[in-house]
Amino acid sequence: HRGLQRLSYARLREMLFTSNTTPRQGIALGADSLRFFSRPEWRRDSIVFIPFIANNIPASPTSEEVDAIRRAVSYNRDVFQSIAATWAATLPASAGTKEALAVSLEMRGDPAAIDTLRSARRLTSDPNHRVRLASQEALLLFKFGFPNDHAALRRVRVESDSLLSIKAPASLESARALSSLAALTGKCAAVAELKRRIAQPRSDVVDAPRQVVAEWDAVEAKAALGCQSTRTSSFVEVNASIWSAQVKGAAAQRRAAAPLVLGRAVLLTFPLDSAWVARLSSPRSGGVLQAAHAILVGEHEAARRHLEISLTALLPGEITPDAIYPRARLWLMLADTSTSVQLLDRVLRDVRFLSPGLLDSPVQIGALVRVAMLRAEIAANRGDSQKAALLSTAVMDLWSGADPDLSPSLRAVSRFARQ
């Protein structure tokens, strides 16, 4: 189990296809090198993968296909749980096997994962491992308590502040875990510092060294939280670094890298910066950036086409906050509050089912808290003071000690909480 333990047993979960969001990929052997994607489906008594050409994947699967996908993922999660249970029974004094068992429970949305992870923490004497498990425990408390359990959320804030008081964590593993807690408690400066520390070189489109990627990651994380210091100047600096001598790649590669590096940060920054949206939007940049650009130039029907997505094939917890927050904002700009609310409520309802490891990302945590803030604002505008107060209080439970960088957002939230 030790070789698979990293990032909440991410490699084992990927191997078993315990989520519908990670498709199986393939390449044709012929000269055209076509790329294929497939999803796990349950057919008769087996898991099968039916390949689709990458640019021809059906947008809306049939009800039969949706049922087949869900049954396959459920079966694969059962396999993971069986493996974890066998490990835990064979090695009852191992923190790693207990953690695997906690991950299997977390995938099921079972809050017993919290106590199981706590048991794992008691079984380890390694200080870095203890920090990571304590951080994971705080994230689970958040995951199973948000937004309704205010006592649990206040406890998350206290425990997170205590762990964040540890100066200069000794390992990257500890720093990665603490970056999520910094996001949970609204610590913009700490998030940026920790993201810089754990950054790794990139070679997906261009070759970028760690020190350059560190700034890219810091800007993106702060944008997700809504930190006021993330402004146009930050985007200018990131874009300039893409074209710097430190980054290796042809001009076409650098142009292709810009939406990948900056796109999410720009879309998580509201009000939208029209110049940066226009600069990054292209047929290859993704539907949300294209939708944002279409709205800003008044092409609302085109924007709707880009924003319309099918959620039917996704299991609870497979809709990520960073994808939904900008979509919900854009639907509001199109005066379609109902669709915006539908998306926001789906995320908030399914928090406990988010894939293990997803909340290790400060970007996802920041986007999730802002989903709650936006939903509270809509509820207040609709006269639903009870829902507005519930969600706003949950945000304040976590961010009452946040950095001044978040003060403008928190002033509005605290007003809803008092209603």
Side-chain angles (χ1 to χ4, degrees):
H1 69 279
R2 290 178 181 172
L4 297 167
Q5 194 172 353
R6 189 172 179 271
L7 300 177
S8 302
Y9 291 86
R11 179 60 185 142
L12 181 58
R13 289 186 283 112
E14 289 170 4
M15 289 166 59
L16 292 175
F17 294 94
T18 59
S19 170
N20 179 32
T21 57
T22 306
R24 187 173 183 176
Q25 302 184 37
I27 301 175
L29 296 178
D32 52 8
S33 297
L34 284 174
R35 297 183 67 202
F36 295 89
F37 290 94
S38 62
R39 297 174 290 213
E41 297 185 28
W42 184 267
R43 298 294 180 184
R44 295 186 178 178
D45 59 354
S46 303
I47 301 288
V48 302
F49 291 87
I50 301 172
F52 292 94
I53 297 174
N55 60 0
N56 196 32
I57 298 175
S60 299
T62 66
S63 58
E64 180 185 358
E65 289 170 334
V66 170
D67 182 62
I69 292 167
R70 293 187 173 192
R71 290 183 65 191
V73 170
S74 179
Y75 176 84
N76 292 341
R77 290 178 176 179
D78 286 344
V79 172
F80 184 102
Q81 188 163 32
S82 176
I83 293 170
T86 301
W87 283 344
T90 306
L91 299 168
S94 165
T97 62
K98 279 286 192 295
E99 183 184 0
L101 198 56
V103 170
S104 72
L105 293 167
E106 183 185 356
M107 277 195 289
R108 295 293 185 191
D110 187 342
I114 299 170
D115 288 336
T116 306
L117 196 64
R118 192 173 293 135
S119 297
R121 183 154 61 102
R122 286 195 291 264
L123 289 170
T124 184
S125 57
D126 180 272
N128 287 310
H129 199 191
R130 288 181 67 85
V131 168
R132 185 180 67 79
L133 290 177
S135 300
Q136 290 297 323
E137 185 181 327
L139 287 173
L140 285 182
L141 279 170
F142 164 71
K143 189 174 183 178
F144 289 105
F146 190 78
N148 300 302
D149 190 340
H150 299 299
L153 296 178
R154 288 191 290 270
R155 181 179 165 191
V156 168
R157 187 187 73 240
V158 171
E159 293 186 3
S160 297
D161 286 342
S162 176
L163 288 165
L164 287 166
S165 68
I166 299 171
K167 300 300 181 184
S171 72
L172 292 181
E173 183 182 51
S174 298
R176 182 177 291 107
L178 292 174
S179 70
S180 296
L181 300 190
L184 263 184
T185 50
K187 303 297 195 298
C188 295
V191 166
E193 178 186 347
L194 289 163
K195 288 295 288 182
R196 290 185 183 102
R197 176 145 190 229
I198 64 178
Q200 298 296 316
R202 284 180 64 164
S203 58
D204 44 357
V205 179
V206 291
D207 291 323
R210 193 194 70 81
Q211 62 268 29
V212 171
V213 176
E215 293 307 314
W216 296 354
D217 291 352
V219 167
E220 184 178 66
K222 290 174 68 177
L225 267 71
C227 305
Q228 293 300 299
S229 57
T230 308
R231 300 189 183 279
T232 300
S233 58
S234 302
F235 301 152
V236 171
E237 291 165 5
V238 169
N239 190 63
S241 71
I242 295 173
W243 291 89
S244 71
Q246 292 176 288
V247 173
K248 307 301 180 185
Q253 291 174 302
R254 294 172 192 261
R255 282 192 292 271
L260 295 176
V261 173
L262 268 172
R264 188 159 63 162
V266 167
L267 285 171
L268 288 167
T269 302
F270 279 84
L272 289 170
D273 186 311
S274 58
W276 277 103
V277 170
R279 186 169 189 166
L280 297 177
S281 177
S282 74
R284 294 186 175 184
S285 63
V288 185
L289 265 172
Q290 290 176 272
H293 183 244
I295 290 172
L296 292 172
V297 298
E299 297 176 358
H300 290 186
E301 286 306 314
R304 288 186 177 90
R305 287 195 299 272
H306 287 303
L307 286 175
E308 286 172 352
I309 57 172
S310 173
L311 306 180
T312 55
L314 295 175
L315 293 167
E318 291 187 340
I319 302 174
T320 58
D322 70 317
I324 293 306
Y325 179 77
R327 279 184 169 88
R329 280 282 192 185
L330 294 175
W331 280 115
L332 286 178
M333 292 174 72
L334 291 168
D336 190 338
T337 304
S338 295
T339 299
S340 180
V341 165
Q342 178 190 1
L343 293 173
L344 297 170
D345 284 348
R346 175 80 183 265
V347 173
L348 292 169
R349 184 179 69 240
D350 292 342
V351 171
R352 66 168 50 209
F353 296 108
L354 288 171
S355 296
L358 186 76
L359 294 181
D360 290 347
S361 163
V363 170
Q364 298 296 350
I365 289 175
L368 178 54
V369 174
R370 291 174 74 198
V371 161
M373 295 168 73
L374 179 57
R375 185 65 182 91
E377 179 183 341
I378 294 172
N381 291 338
R382 286 179 156 188
D384 187 350
S385 57
Q386 183 176 1
K387 191 170 192 69
L390 169 70
L391 294 171
S392 299
T393 302
V395 172
M396 295 304 299
D397 288 335
L398 295 165
W399 280 11
S400 60
D403 283 0
D405 223 1
L406 292 172
S407 294
S409 300
L410 290 176
R411 278 195 291 271
V413 170
S414 63
R415 185 175 71 250
F416 301 146
R418 290 194 299 268
Q419 287 181 353

